[in-house]
Amino acid sequence: MTADLIIINGKFLTQDEANPKAEAMAIRGNAILSVGTVAEAKALAGPETQVIDAQGKTVLPGFVESHMHLFGGASELDHMQFFGVHGLENMQKVAKAYLATHPGDDIVFGQQCDYIIIGEHEPLTRHHLDTLSKDRPLLVFSPDHHTAWANTIALERAGILKGRKLGPGNEIVMAADGLASGELREGQAIDPVRELSRVGDRSHLGIVTGGEPDPYPTAEEFEHDLGVIKQGLAHCARHGITSIHNMDGNIYQLELLEELELRGELTARVRVPFHFKNFMKIADLEKASAMAQRWRSEMLSAGFVKVFVDGVIDSATGVMVEPYSDNPSWRGEPLFTAEHFAEVAVEADRRGLQIAVHAIGDGAVRIVLDGYEKALKANGKRDSRHRVEHIEVIHPDDIPRFREMGVIASMQPPHPPGNHGLPLEPYLSRIGENRWQYAFAWNTLRDAGARIAFATDWPVSDIDPLWSIQSAMTRPMWKPGLPDQRQTLTQSLRSYTHDGAYTEFMEHRKGMLKPGLLADVVILDADIEKTDPAKLKSVKPAATICDGRVVYRAHS
């Protein structure tokens, strides 16, 4: 049998325990033919076989990005960016340059505005943003996207300058003058401003409402959205990502991805959930079952339900077991009560659907684990592989429950304060020193038998898996004596490949370089085993292969 593609002279880290290292591989169609020596690979080559010389660099299974937002992240690539910006004067410089190249009067969106961008003791307000843009609506998002800040004209046009009654866990922060300060916490507060956009915001429907665009997009709008998705997929391919667990979804996103697959332009495998919101009825899970039946190929699938139970620590919308250290009367308000979430979990599990739940605070994590336990008791034990997303703080009593119930810990190395350019405050003061040892407790969970899948939560963090692995391996310790949660290269790679595939029930098809498995591969431009962990961010993919096709080649 002749190979279509061989890769030679590589340092292969296969993630196959029976054959952990190799120097070459051969691919035919979308499957791996062989993984072994250069001679073995060359023996399978014919006159038409493409040959890639890895030149002694690392070759890995394609990265599995286990938590990201493809459509929304792609749409934000062209937004105003505030990552690493501090101080009002610097914000003004960024805005001036951006607005000069993006004229008009439609709302402007900004991204990556951290909570202390003005100063540690001075919160960002509409008055600051008015100095960036007074006559044009402006909405800037925190990195976590759970908080946004709007200027005065945006608040006026959205009809929320004087506030509005909202549902649990959502807040329009009011100032002493009785008007909105500009800070908007969670979706119900943010969405009235976001909806000012005249071009629409179909890219965020999967996370905002979980519903479908109404009216349905015109052919021109559909093509525009295809272009946005393609831009996001190209961004993934440049970073070696061959599988995506999308963490928001609706039928419309699946239809866009399905069209790209039909055109031969789907360059990564994508899973899209049904997003169950707290205003929905249990019967709405029928839509999740229908999505699971319609889309279930190895390139495009549904089959899981996404839920948000809380917000984030920085804005104190995360739900805690004990009160916040800087606010002893506040534990956070869950988006789902324990009883409501348990009802959803029992029914989704009964339908054979996987469940993935955003739970940041230890109180939210407990709500989710309690719900999974009730589903287990109601429906019986099965290989459900339910997930908890983020787990930024966990109560020690809940640590062993992951192994006991087979729940996946889906975690993000860029997210700990002090990592990846993030500030330490207000996070550390909010949770208090007594909880630091249980924050982002990767090794603590591993030692208790939990399986961990890694991701970036793009566009919350930069999409780069190698920068994420750098952060996993070099995470700073907040004070002496805390558990060392730093990861080894082996642990990090496992969580970005095999264990990501396991999380989506695909470990028998991908996540390893092994004959018979799907040909998803990333070739790097360095030997990462010889690279200083603090410099892994400098390593880039030289080529990305998904389903046997070269979908990215550097300098080509």
Side-chain angles (χ1 to χ4, degrees):
M1 187 176 292
T2 303
D4 296 318
L5 169 66
I6 63 172
I7 304 168
I8 59 174
N9 301 324
K11 293 191 175 180
F12 287 70
L13 302 178
T14 67
Q15 307 305 306
D16 177 6
E17 293 178 352
N19 182 34
K21 295 195 175 184
E23 59 183 23
M25 71 181 297
I27 295 169
R28 180 179 174 85
N30 72 342
I32 298 171
L33 273 182
S34 73
V35 180
T37 66
V38 171
E40 289 168 341
K42 285 185 173 180
L44 295 168
E48 303 299 320
T49 300
Q50 181 182 1
V51 180
I52 297 178
D53 188 340
Q55 300 178 345
K57 308 303 193 298
T58 298
V59 182
L60 300 166
F63 291 121
V64 179
E65 168 63 34
S66 294
H67 186 123
M68 65 171 282
H69 303 272
L70 176 62
F71 199 4
S75 73
E76 292 176 14
L77 288 170
D78 190 44
H79 288 180
M80 184 160 45
Q81 302 294 328
F82 290 103
F83 181 78
V85 175
H86 296 287
L88 181 59
E89 184 178 344
N90 289 323
M91 289 187 75
Q92 292 167 340
K93 290 178 181 177
V94 169
K96 182 178 181 180
Y98 183 88
L99 293 171
T101 57
H102 295 78
D105 58 4
D106 198 9
I107 188 170
V108 174
F109 295 110
Q111 304 295 337
Q112 296 293 320
C113 179
D114 74 46
Y115 285 87
I116 57 171
I117 193 165
I118 298 298
E120 196 165 315
H121 303 292
E122 183 180 358
L124 181 63
T125 70
R126 62 185 173 92
H127 303 295
H128 295 115
L129 295 180
D130 288 345
T131 71
L132 275 61
S133 174
K134 184 176 181 180
D135 300 320
R136 186 173 177 183
L138 174 61
L139 183 69
V140 299
F141 286 85
S142 62
D144 56 45
H145 288 62
H146 287 261
T147 299
W149 296 266
N151 63 355
T152 301
I153 192 173
L155 295 166
E156 287 175 337
R157 290 187 181 178
I160 59 173
L161 183 60
K162 296 181 180 179
R164 180 182 295 177
K165 183 175 174 58
L166 304 174
N170 298 263
E171 182 183 4
I172 298 168
V173 178
M174 304 303 290
D177 62 2
L179 299 177
S181 72
E183 182 175 346
L184 307 170
R185 297 177 179 175
E186 301 299 332
Q188 288 182 28
I190 297 168
D191 294 343
V193 181
R194 194 203 304 261
E195 291 166 3
L196 294 175
S197 173
R198 287 200 294 270
V199 299
D201 198 26
R202 295 181 296 275
S203 62
H204 289 86
L205 271 181
I207 197 166
V208 172
T209 70
E212 308 303 326
D214 183 19
Y216 195 82
T218 64
E220 182 180 1
E221 289 170 334
F222 190 85
E223 287 296 327
H224 170 272
D225 291 346
L226 285 175
V228 173
I229 293 274
K230 284 176 65 176
Q231 188 178 11
L233 288 167
H235 194 58
C236 290
R238 284 194 297 273
H239 289 91
I241 294 167
T242 56
S243 290
I244 295 165
H245 300 178
N246 207 49
M247 281 295 144
D248 64 88
N250 53 10
I251 288 174
Y252 183 60
Q253 283 194 60
L254 283 158
E255 289 173 340
L256 289 167
L257 292 161
E258 182 178 54
E259 179 61 26
L260 290 177
E261 184 179 15
L262 289 171
R263 296 182 185 186
E265 297 174 342
L266 185 58
T267 54
R269 307 180 193 280
V270 189
R271 295 188 81 211
V272 177
F274 170 72
H275 184 181
F276 191 94
K277 304 284 285 187
N278 59 7
F279 54 78
M280 293 179 176
K281 298 177 181 178
I282 294 297
D284 291 331
L285 286 168
E286 178 59 34
K287 181 178 176 181
S289 294
M291 289 165 65
Q293 284 297 311
R294 180 175 170 186
W295 287 282
R296 50 182 177 175
S297 76
E298 290 182 327
M299 286 300 295
L300 181 60
S301 62
F304 75 111
V305 176
K306 173 69 185 297
V307 181
F308 281 81
V309 162
D310 70 344
V312 293
I313 299 295
D314 299 82
S315 62
T317 54
V319 174
M320 310 302 290
V321 172
E322 299 295 334
Y324 279 87
S325 292
D326 62 349
N327 188 353
S329 64
W330 181 249
R331 286 184 170 88
E333 187 176 21
L335 299 172
F336 284 77
T337 64
E339 294 75 20
H340 188 186
F341 174 72
E343 184 184 11
V344 175
V346 168
E347 177 59 15
D349 181 76
R350 185 191 70 79
R351 291 173 174 272
L353 298 164
Q354 187 184 36
I355 311 167
V357 185
H358 169 114
I360 294 277
D362 55 3
V365 173
R366 178 165 293 177
I367 288 172
V368 176
L369 292 174
D370 286 349
Y372 289 165
E373 186 173 324
K374 289 181 179 178
L376 181 65
K377 289 177 179 177
N379 302 322
K381 187 174 178 59
R382 69 179 181 90
D383 186 14
S384 57
R385 304 188 195 183
H386 296 320
R387 311 165 48 144
V388 185
E389 308 300 314
H390 309 306
I391 320 166
E392 291 191 1
V393 185
I394 187 167
H395 191 281
D397 292 350
D398 293 321
I399 291 168
R401 301 176 73 190
F402 281 81
R403 180 191 60 78
E404 291 166 2
M405 292 191 288
V407 174
I408 307 293
S410 172
M411 305 182 81
Q412 294 71 41
H415 287 186
N419 243 18
H420 236 70
L422 293 178
L424 295 173
E425 298 295 350
Y427 198 104
L428 294 187
S429 295
R430 287 258 153 92
I431 64 171
E433 282 195 35
N434 62 314
R435 284 183 283 222
W436 289 2
Q437 63 181 312
Y438 302 116
F440 305 92
W442 306 325
N443 281 332
T444 302
L445 281 161
R446 284 193 195 277
D447 293 345
R451 190 184 296 262
I452 297 179
F454 275 163
T456 63
D457 196 9
W458 184 69
V460 170
S461 300
D462 189 285
I463 203 170
D464 186 0
L466 291 157
W467 189 10
S468 181
I469 291 170
Q470 173 180 311
S471 289
M473 296 179 68
T474 62
R475 171 181 166 183
M477 195 172 290
W478 298 322
K479 71 172 184 177
L482 289 176
D484 187 353
Q485 304 291 355
R486 288 176 298 177
Q487 303 289 281
T488 66
L489 179 62
T490 298
Q491 287 174 320
S492 301
L493 291 176
R494 193 75 172 174
S495 288
Y496 254 113
T497 54
H498 178 272
D499 286 351
Y502 176 90
T503 300
E504 57 172 304
F505 303 91
M506 286 286 283
E507 73 277 11
H508 62 294
R509 295 293 288 141
K510 64 182 183 183
M512 294 186 288
L513 301 180
K514 182 178 181 178
L517 270 60
L518 294 167
D520 295 352
V521 187
V522 58
I523 304 169
L524 303 180
D525 65 2
D527 180 348
I528 59 171
E529 291 184 296
K530 294 182 178 179
T531 301
D532 180 348
K535 297 180 179 178
L536 281 171
K537 181 184 175 184
S538 66
V539 178
K540 305 296 178 187
T544 304
I545 298 163
C546 180
D547 208 43
R549 294 183 298 146
V550 178
V551 296
Y552 170 73
R553 195 85 186 260
H555 313 303
S556 63

